[in-house]
Amino acid sequence: MLILSCSSKLRLLEGMLRQGLPDTLPVTWDPSDFGTNLYTAFYRDEGACRALLGNSRAVDWSQAFQIQGLQDGVYETIRDIARARGLEMEMYPYLPLLHPDPPAMPQYRHDEGLRLAPVSPAHAMLLSNTWMFGWNSWSLRYLCLLIRHFPNACLLGPEGPPISWSLSDPLAALMHGYTLPEHRGQRHIAPVVGMLAAQLHARGFPVYTRVLPHNKPSLQHLQHLGFRILPGAFHQLVVRPGFAQSQPAHALDSGQAPAPSSGERPCAQ
Ligand SMILES: CC(C)(COP(=O)(O)OP(=O)(O)OC[C@H]1O[C@@H](n2cnc3c(N)ncnc32)[C@H](O)[C@@H]1OP(=O)(O)O)[C@@H](O)C(=O)NCCC(=O)NCCS
């Protein structure tokens, strides 16, 4: 066996594997990565959805994965199948928020001395250590992927590192919006979301996000920007059979990350 560490050889290998898709797909597949093992659910017939999700050729229940869906019944469907298989499921019932008219979003200027910029992979550790699913090697790798491949924005402080940021995820939803605790309450997140929303809108995506119902600061700032809360719940359902993360179980049960050193509340997106 040859272990490659040289970046140009790894890129060459990646190109060869890509040319061989779909046969080469298992090479890039990580059964413990519930971030990239992502399913979404939309159905007109709940029974058909139940039958499809129960079919192990459609969903591989031996791997860690997540399903996201907005419709009534999606939670109950996954819960019942997971229970029948003896699997635990984490459930995050977010409020869905949509901006009805992104070009009309109020423009907030950032303070002098600060600079709007894309997030850099060099910031991934800071982002991982402030994220509700963070503080582990998986989250670091996943956030690096998001930073590299999907639109994002941040506000850089005078010293360089970001003081406020927001990413977008594989479903083009805003995620991990965050302002460092010492900079909160000064509307720093507003120009960040404005910049990211403009990028998503220019690419033809809706500008939307999901927020846990108790997260008042986040709901406040999004509503200031004109986001509207949609009816229903945006369920994120996570199944991880036998793939424990390195963070304490209580953090995952409650949807909270272990308290960072400042004692702040972590990002809840
Ligand atoms: C949500 C968050 C990104 C807002 O960033 P921000 O730059 O402080 O945004 P704003 O200045 O517009 O403040 C938004 C709301 O935060 C609250 N707030 C104000 N000052 C605050 C402070 N010093 N500390 C904490 N919250 C404060 C207020 O409710 C404010 O709304 P209001 O101005 O109508 O009263 C930030 O609070 C944060 O990082 N929270 C933790 C991570 C998180 O929950 N992210 C969102 C996931 S959905």
Side-chain angles (χ1 to χ4, degrees):
M1 184 172 62
L2 195 60
I3 297 177
L4 299 180
S5 55
C6 159
S7 60
S8 60
K9 285 189 180 155
L10 284 168
R11 262 197 299 276
L12 189 68
L13 176 65
E14 187 188 3
M16 288 163 61
L17 291 171
R18 282 183 184 280
Q19 280 170 15
L21 289 171
D23 294 354
T24 53
L25 201 56
V27 178
T28 59
W29 174 72
D30 178 352
S32 70
D33 184 349
F34 75 87
T36 46
N37 299 332
L38 166 68
Y39 300 87
T40 56
F42 173 76
Y43 48 84
R44 295 197 191 283
D45 173 355
E46 196 181 320
C49 175
R50 203 170 268 268
L52 182 71
L53 294 176
N55 179 337
S56 49
R57 277 187 299 179
V59 175
D60 183 349
W61 288 82
S62 66
Q63 67 171 10
F65 66 91
Q66 59 171 307
I67 295 189
Q68 299 197 12
L70 265 158
Q71 287 170 283
D72 287 346
V74 67
Y75 162 63
E76 290 78 5
T77 300
I78 312 290
R79 181 201 58 197
D80 293 351
I81 301 173
R83 269 191 197 153
R85 290 173 176 268
L87 295 171
E88 296 286 321
M89 183 183 77
E90 297 151 38
M91 197 272 274
Y92 303 91
Y94 296 93
L95 293 176
L97 288 99
L98 175 77
H99 201 291
D101 186 8
M105 195 178 287
Q107 302 293 309
Y108 284 85
R109 290 189 64 78
H110 55 80
D111 295 352
E112 231 169 87
L114 305 178
R115 188 163 58 87
L116 274 171
V119 179
S120 155
H123 304 142
M125 181 68 85
L126 172 65
L127 270 63
S128 175
N129 291 349
T130 48
W131 190 37
M132 79 185 272
F133 292 108
W135 292 86
N136 56 69
S137 56
W138 167 78
S139 66
L140 189 59
R141 196 181 40 169
Y142 180 64
L143 291 172
C144 272
L145 279 175
L146 295 187
I147 292 168
R148 283 183 204 282
H149 297 294
F150 298 108
N152 55 57
C154 73
L155 198 55
L156 295 173
E159 310 301 328
I163 61 169
S164 188
W165 59 83
S166 182
L167 305 182
S168 58
D169 72 7
L171 301 179
L174 303 187
M175 67 159 287
H176 197 358
Y178 194 91
T179 299
L180 295 179
E182 61 274 28
H183 295 283
R184 287 188 191 156
Q186 299 169 55
R187 301 271 185 267
H188 287 316
I189 193 73
V192 171
V193 170
M195 179 177 165
L196 181 50
Q199 293 178 64
L200 291 165
H201 182 68
R203 292 172 189 216
F205 292 110
V207 175
Y208 77 107
T209 187
R210 15 176 148 66
V211 177
L212 287 171
H214 64 255
N215 193 339
K216 301 297 175 218
S218 190
L219 292 170
Q220 289 278 85
H221 103 74
L222 290 165
Q223 286 173 305
H224 282 311
L225 291 177
F227 282 78
R228 306 250 171 88
I229 300 177
L230 302 180
F234 197 129
H235 289 100
Q236 181 187 22
L237 308 165
V238 180
V239 177
R240 320 187 218 204
F243 295 108
Q245 296 292 316
S246 56
Q247 77 189 79
H250 71 81
L252 297 171
D253 292 342
S254 62
Q256 303 296 316
S261 50
S262 58
E264 69 187 277
R265 199 179 186 84
C267 176
Q269 257 170 347

